[in-house]
Every structure is written in structure tokens, then in C-alpha cells.
Amino acid sequence: MFTQTLKKRVLGSDLVDLLTGPHGVDRYTELVAPTWTLGEARAKIVDVRRTTPRSVTLTLAPNAAFTDRYTVRAGQFVNVTLEIDGRMHSRCYSPANVEGGTELELTIGVHDGGLVSTHLYERARRGMVVGLDGVGGDFVLPVQRPRRILFVSGGSGITPVMAMLRTLVAERHVRYRGGEIAFVHYARSAAEACYRDELAAMRGVRVLYGFTRSGSGDLVGRFGADHLAAAMPSGPDAVFVCGPASLVEAVREHCENVYHESFVPPVLDVPEDPSGGRITFAESAVDVVDDGRSLLEQAESAGLAPQNGCRMGICHTCTRRKTSGTVRNLITGAVSTAPDEDVQICVSVPVGDVDLAL
């Protein structure tokens, strides 16, 4: 059996490149094993678990093209790409595994109307291969770990928090560093709360639940001073929160030194009156009249399939070069007028005529 080093040396040789012609070696090796590629980061699904009514947990084994290029810190996200009905779709998911693991664990919550999440929940199987395109996110543990840490999450926001919790447990933060860890998780019901058995067995971590649809759990209502006091009476040195924007704002209102990430797309102030300008997708020889929606949505309506991920201005997967024209970022309000600027088309709208390299 080839070692990884020998395999890469052989497949990357000038002779093999010459023999495989214009398509490159990856187009041939993928016929034997879809993840056996040099240039394209991919992963095989090696385990599938459906432990709640609205989530699926996937264990992914990335190929060397990913592991040699990227290091995933606890709390960061990866871009996952898969084909659905002949079109490629990308979404950002935060692995829940301990930092430094050789496999990626993704727990994906099903969202109403969510194309990718529903597809994976219903059809993900062992042996399926998905694309991996980059690692991102600043929602990570600081190198110098705070002593008293409070984690707060809502719904599928639990996954980056689980990665951090598992990492701290592996580091024996409580036992050897004198640390204190508390975790508050909000879910619609006890049945939909992921990782309950593991969290119950996690020594040294105080875990409290709030169930928003059933009115039960350890905590009632929204996060506030009473929930903070119940979780960590002595007060945290740092708080890490991931969930809906309303949860993030509630935590920021009552806590200091807050690290946060919201996985819910912001409410965008789309212009009531479209500019009426012409959007030219130069590389595709397609042009449309602006109807006020984001450049990404208008490109998709025109039959194009630009790569995208979070669709809310976080992952930068959808970034494209604006060769001319003016656009406005719906999140920041910033206006881009200079030629040859990169813009995030998922959160940008035209202001007049715009040319995109797409």
C-alpha cells in the first residue's frame, strides 16, 4: 500500500501530469477513490447518526488535500459543498470535534426550507463524498485560556461550543488549571437538544437547559441576570455565545468580555425601489435589470450558480470581483465605487449599473 508521502510524490510527478493530459491527475484518481486527489479538498462521510428529530451528525474523514492545507481551531467553520439535483451548493458548518482531531464531526440542524440541511438529514449516508472549501471564523478560544468560562448556545449553535468544551476537557482545564466551566443551552425541547448524554457525563462542567417550546428545563424564559447567576454565581471571566441574534444581544447586555457568533442571517434592509441599473455577469455573457435583491439572488435567478456558503456575509465564499459600477453592502452600509474591487455578493445590492466577473 502506498504511504501518503510516496503517493503524493508519484501523483505529483511531471511524468504523471504529462500522461494524464489536460484533465490532470485528479480527474483519473477520483474514478478509483473520490477523495484520492491532490488539488481538491474532499471528505468521505464515515458515520451518520440521527439522534434527534431535527438533526443529523456526520463524521467526515478529510483527504490530504484538506489536512495538509488547513488546521481547524475549535469554534471555526468549514465550507461543505455537495451536489443536489445537478447543482453544487455550499454551506458553512462548525465542527463539534475536539481541536486537532483527524476527523470532522458536523451536527447539522434541519431548518424549515433549508435545502442543504434537509438533503443531508434525509439522504446522507456512509461513503458519500463532499467537497471541503476552506476554514474560517474568529469565534475561537484565546491562546491564554480564561479561568472561569461560560458558554451559551441556542439550537444548532451548540456545535462550535461543543468543540470548545471538548477541547477544554481534553486539556483538563478544570482539574489541572483550576478552571470553572458552565454551559447554558437553549433548545425547542429536550428531544431536540443535541449531545445531552455526553454533556451529562462531562465531569467538571455545569450544564443548564432552557426549552423554549415546552416551558420546562432548568431555566425558564430568556437569558438574563437570573440565568447568569444560576449558571455561574461567581461570574465568568469570559463568555462564548453562539445562536440567534436575539440570544447574542441578551448575553451581551448582561455580560462583559463576550465572544460571539450568530448563525442566523441578519435582517437586511433591501431597497424598496430597485436602482433599475443593468447587472452584467461578464464571464457568463448574461445581463439582467436590477430588481433590488442581492447580487447573489439575482445571479441565481438568471440561471447562474455562483459558489456561496453562509449567505449572510460571514464566510466570504461568494466574494467576486466587481470590475465596474457601484454596490452597497446591506450589513455595513459601505458603498463600493472603485473598479476592480472584491465584494460579497450575498449581502451586496447594485446602485446603478454593475459589471461582475462571474
Side-chain angles (χ1 to χ4, degrees):
M1 179 179 291
F2 279 148
T3 65
Q4 288 293 329
T5 301
L6 179 58
K7 180 172 68 177
K8 285 190 286 187
R9 184 180 302 167
V10 172
L11 294 180
S13 68
D14 292 338
L15 176 59
V16 169
D17 185 60
L18 177 63
L19 293 175
T20 53
H23 301 294
V25 65
D26 284 353
R27 296 288 77 80
Y28 292 90
T29 58
E30 68 183 0
L31 297 176
V32 180
T35 57
W36 197 15
T37 62
L38 287 178
E40 296 184 17
R42 299 178 183 175
K44 178 186 291 186
I45 297 176
V46 295
D47 190 41
V48 179
R49 291 177 288 130
R50 295 175 175 87
T51 56
T52 79
R54 293 178 61 85
S55 70
V56 58
T57 298
L58 311 177
T59 302
L60 274 59
N63 64 1
F66 181 84
T67 57
D68 290 350
R69 193 181 310 167
Y70 300 109
T71 298
V72 185
R73 296 179 62 186
Q76 289 189 305
F77 58 79
V78 296
N79 292 326
V80 177
T81 302
L82 68 157
E83 182 178 339
I84 303 175
D85 296 331
R87 296 183 63 178
M88 303 303 294
H89 299 268
S90 297
R91 295 293 186 271
C92 299
Y93 295 113
S94 296
N97 51 277
V98 65
E99 188 171 298
T102 58
E103 297 179 330
L104 301 176
E105 179 180 302
L106 307 180
T107 292
I108 299 167
V110 178
H111 301 288
D112 295 335
L115 175 66
V116 175
S117 63
T118 300
H119 181 86
L120 289 172
Y121 179 77
E122 294 177 348
R123 303 188 184 185
R125 66 187 187 282
R126 293 183 182 181
M128 179 185 290
V129 174
V130 299
L132 296 177
D133 181 24
V135 175
D138 299 320
F139 185 62
V140 295
L141 291 166
V143 176
Q144 187 66 37
R145 310 297 200 221
R147 192 171 71 84
R148 296 190 304 274
I149 302 175
L150 171 63
F151 293 102
V152 183
S153 65
S156 57
I158 193 173
T159 53
V161 168
M162 281 301 300
M164 294 179 182
L165 275 173
R166 286 168 163 173
T167 298
L168 290 172
V169 169
E171 294 174 353
R172 301 190 177 183
H173 180 75
V174 173
R175 182 173 180 180
Y176 290 137
R177 299 186 180 183
E180 182 180 351
I181 303 174
F183 176 37
V184 175
H185 180 62
Y186 299 92
R188 303 202 305 183
S189 67
E192 294 185 22
C194 304
Y195 298 107
R196 289 193 70 195
D197 291 343
E198 179 180 349
L199 287 167
M202 199 172 277
R203 299 182 62 181
V205 179
R206 180 174 176 78
V207 181
L208 299 174
Y209 291 97
F211 300 127
T212 59
R213 295 287 179 90
S214 64
S216 61
D218 306 298
L219 305 169
V220 178
R222 301 180 61 208
F223 182 91
D226 55 337
H227 291 198
L228 173 60
M232 188 167 280
S234 57
D237 296 321
V239 182
F240 297 82
V241 54
C242 183
S246 58
L247 175 61
V248 172
E249 289 307 311
V251 172
R252 294 181 65 187
E253 180 182 345
H254 292 90
C255 303
E256 297 180 351
N257 198 20
V258 176
Y259 300 78
H260 62 88
E261 183 167 85
S262 177
F263 59 79
V264 176
V267 177
L268 302 178
D269 184 20
V270 178
E272 294 183 4
D273 299 317
S275 71
R278 185 160 294 278
I279 307 172
T280 301
F281 304 107
E283 295 176 359
S284 306
V286 172
D287 62 88
V288 298
V289 176
D290 173 36
D291 62 14
R293 295 178 297 162
S294 71
L295 289 166
L296 173 59
E297 291 174 295
Q298 296 194 60
E300 290 175 332
S301 293
L304 306 181
Q307 191 172 14
N308 63 88
C310 67
R311 301 179 77 92
M312 58 183 181
I314 294 177
C315 72
H316 295 270
T317 303
C318 70
T319 299
R320 293 293 182 273
R321 176 60 55 94
K322 173 180 65 69
T323 55
S324 67
T326 301
V327 300
R328 180 168 66 87
N329 186 299
L330 293 171
I331 295 179
T332 66
V335 175
S336 167
T337 59
D340 296 320
E341 285 189 333
D342 290 334
V343 298
Q344 293 172 271
I345 64 174
C346 72
V347 292
S348 295
V349 295
V351 182
D353 295 341
V354 174
D355 288 354
L356 279 182
L358 175 61

